Amino acid sequence: MRLRRLGITMLLILLGGCLIPETPLIPVKGASSKDWNSQTFWYEPWGASGVHKGIDIFAPKNTAVIAPTPMLVIYRGDFFQGGKVVVGLGPKWQIHYFAHLANIAPDTGLIATKGDTIGAVGDTGNAQGKPAHLHYSILSLLPKPWLIDASTQGYKKAVYQNPIEYLKAQ
């Protein structure tokens, strides 16, 4: 009986995360779709990772990076090629990854509401010496196998979501 209750609770939590409505913001203050190249998601060849699994939103250094949706901040700090990064868990069980930040907002806590400043556009990590930008990726914790295709690393499209399609929902 206890195990059944636990299963029902987990199912409700899973469904609850999928039912939260979203109208996402572009995660760089004042940016528009003109500030990224629409061909960069899954562009190849792309350095050590092979393909580019996000988009780069260009803006002047220190422009505010904002939470596109409410999210639980699960990591903030330095992360290899990403430099200074913030990682958040948003609705629909999606992980939002913000990289190359010039800085992380000191008041970024466990919860970021939509529009909260979480950092600033920069050139940290492997973006040093390149124009300041935000690398923005979205990963789904609930795989979407119907998105798999024959492109290089196309099987990873089951978890890596196209940020351009996500932002069109706004």
Side-chain angles (χ1 to χ4, degrees), residues 90-107:
K92 298 181 180 39
W93 300 103
Q94 295 184 119
I95 301 288
H96 298 260
Y97 175 74
F98 310 88
H100 308 311
L101 302 173
N103 61 63
I104 297 168
D107 58 345

Side-chain angles (χ1 to χ4, degrees), residues 16-24 69-70 91-92 114 166:
C18 292
L19 297 175
I20 298 170
E22 285 185 285
T23 52
T69 190
K92 298 181 180 39
K114 180 178 168 180
Y166 174 76

Side-chain angles (χ1 to χ4, degrees), residues 98-151:
F98 310 88
H100 308 311
L101 302 173
N103 61 63
I104 297 168
D107 58 345
T108 301
L110 185 59
I111 303 289
T113 59
K114 180 178 168 180
D116 281 356
T117 299
I118 58 174
V121 171
D123 60 358
T124 60
N126 66 357
Q128 288 179 354
K130 298 175 184 163
H133 65 278
L134 169 70
H135 173 86
Y136 179 53
S137 292
I138 304 170
L139 292 92
S140 177
L141 293 179
L142 303 175
K144 299 175 182 177
W146 57 90
L147 296 176
I148 295 172
D149 64 23
S151 64

